Amino acid sequence: MPRTPTSTSRSAMRRPILALAAALALLTASSPTAHAVTWPSWLAAPSWLTGPQPYAAADLASAASTLRALPGNASTPAIAAHATPEGHWLFANASGEAFTAGTPAELKRAPTILAPEAKDGFAGVRLVLSRDSLFAGPAVLKDLPATAALYVAADGVILEARRTPRNTLLLMIRPGVSVEATGKPDFLEALAQLRRPLDAARMRILAASPGAPASLPASPKFDTSQGGASIDAVDPDRLAEALASIPRQTAIITARLDGANLAILPPSGPERTISLSALNAAALAADVDLLILHADPPRQPGGRNWLWQRIQVSGLEHATKRGTLADFLDQLAGGNTVFAITVTADGDARTRLTAQPIPASIATTEGVTGWIKQAAGTVSNAVTGQVTGAVQPAAIHASLVSSTRRSELSHRLIPALPTSAISLYVLASILGLTALPQALRWWRQLWPHEVRADYTNPRGYTLARAFRAVAFLTVFLPLAAIPALLTRLLSLATRNKRAPVR
């Protein structure tokens, strides 16, 4: 049966609409931040597309799957645990047996049922918590037995956990690096930052010195005597400008945080102050990771002390050669300190990270003995630093590229263009193809066809036609896509209205 004019018009009208839907699907699928279901974050995906949401059994199973990989004495039984939103605890052993505890009495029975070989109850059990159990709240976490050795399964990695007086958990990322699980977004951002690999060739150790160059070379110079990157001297008054010359690198500065300013002690002369806000703004503009090693006095590396000993930050030379940011901070801790990492968002593109020493009563299980060791180490570093020239950082303050921004930068096809701009360009090009006849009519009026008689040779005529075609496809078509598509849809709708009804 032949198609009527009305059905033909409706079919023609569906094509650009279907093309628009396909373009939106392509845009969301190509976005590096899209979810697994490739659905726009600003549009709620239907339940039939996303599938069932995560639930307690899946979290418990994920924690239970790591029991056999638990470090330490394999003869000590291990149990996985997950806190439900209702405040109950789900337990499971490596054999898959499960137990639910809703009361304190049932909680005490869990090791008896799931690990009968443990003679001392929870005291002889290693308890592996699911990642989301970290954020169950102090009221739920306080019910955990004080005698159990606690671990957390976070994204396939098993971390030792220790309690805090606030009934939260402190995760030991490295012997000298810990993260307190308070809020889920900040905790996940902290893990992402600490696991980030460091490129030693893109780490710059800066020394502020009056009269030094105002800019930095694009790549660090190699110091053969030290076996690593040499120290870059830079004028303290031009430090913010110098950061612009090392985009997407890591700048390390030794200074004393003094309110809204940084204080530095040059090799000669009195202390100088540097605006911290100016440094942060420069780091933001250049996507530079800025690490400030808090020291008092803030002597600059590379200089000499009163005994003519070379000033250097203790552990920094070896820290720059470590694999991840967690390894870097662990090396700076020096074995006598445990840094507690706190992370807060600083806009969409930056993350503020602070590493502060924590009390030895929390950082170590040695109690008073551990506190004495930590205090003795601190005093020893302060005394020997004056003689040897070593500077021991008391804390680290960092302004880092956020993990979301870093992911976006790594997915860029063209470094200078954001991924969203390229996606919009591709979308506009696809939309332009759906309204190609209308766009071509406008283009011919704007740039008429070349006339062969206007060119002295065929090559010039061919190049002119090729340039015109490239300009149309790459520039005009994306710009005219939306007006051309709307014009075509309006034309088809008008034609469909005027067509006789049969």
Side-chain angles (χ1 to χ4, degrees), residues 255-264 272-277 279 292:
R256 185 181 68 248
L257 194 61
D258 190 8
N261 297 315
L262 294 179
I264 58 101
R272 303 279 293 271
T273 59
I274 305 172
S275 172
L276 181 58
S277 60
L279 290 183
I292 301 171

Side-chain angles (χ1 to χ4, degrees), residues 18-19 28 45 85 166 203 236 245 263 271 309 404 409 463 476 485:
L18 292 175
T28 56
R166 296 180 296 276
M203 300 187 69
S245 59
E271 286 189 358
Q309 296 296 317
T404 302
L409 290 173
L463 289 176
F476 182 79
L485 181 60

Side-chain angles (χ1 to χ4, degrees), residues 75-79 108 110-126 147:
S75 61
T76 304
I79 299 176
K108 293 180 180 180
T112 305
I113 295 175
L114 299 179
E117 66 272 24
K119 304 302 181 182
D120 299 326
F122 276 109
V125 171
R126 293 175 295 174
T147 56

Side-chain angles (χ1 to χ4, degrees), residues 291-457:
L291 274 69
I292 301 171
L293 310 183
H294 178 81
D296 193 12
R299 295 190 299 268
Q300 297 302 288
R304 301 285 178 176
N305 67 356
W306 59 282
L307 289 178
W308 204 244
Q309 296 296 317
R310 183 174 180 269
I311 297 175
Q312 56 184 350
V313 179
S314 179
L316 181 58
E317 181 180 333
H318 298 288
T320 55
K321 302 173 185 177
R322 292 301 185 262
T324 63
L325 182 60
D327 298 325
F328 175 89
L329 297 175
D330 184 50
Q331 187 68 35
L332 289 181
N336 296 318
T337 303
V338 176
F339 284 132
I341 307 300
T342 57
V343 163
T344 56
D346 187 13
D348 295 332
R350 305 294 292 182
T351 294
R352 291 189 180 183
L353 182 147
T354 302
Q356 296 277 7
I358 61 177
S361 58
I362 300 175
T364 179
T365 56
E366 297 176 349
V368 176
T369 305
W371 179 87
I372 293 175
K373 289 181 180 180
Q374 180 174 334
T378 303
V379 173
S380 176
N381 289 333
V383 174
T384 58
Q386 298 292 332
V387 178
T388 63
V391 177
Q392 180 67 39
I396 293 96
H397 303 271
S399 176
L400 308 174
V401 179
S402 68
S403 59
T404 302
R405 170 71 172 174
R406 199 181 305 278
S407 175
E408 193 272 328
L409 290 173
S410 65
H411 284 85
R412 286 186 177 183
L413 298 177
I414 303 175
L417 290 179
T419 306
S420 58
I422 297 178
S423 300
L424 288 175
Y425 177 82
V426 173
L427 173 62
S429 300
I430 295 174
L431 292 178
L433 292 175
T434 64
L436 188 60
Q438 182 63 43
L440 283 174
R441 282 194 292 270
W442 291 346
W443 178 246
R444 294 189 186 102
Q445 296 176 7
L446 180 66
W447 191 333
H449 282 293
E450 291 76 11
V451 180
R452 175 64 182 85
D454 294 340
Y455 296 87
T456 57
N457 57 72

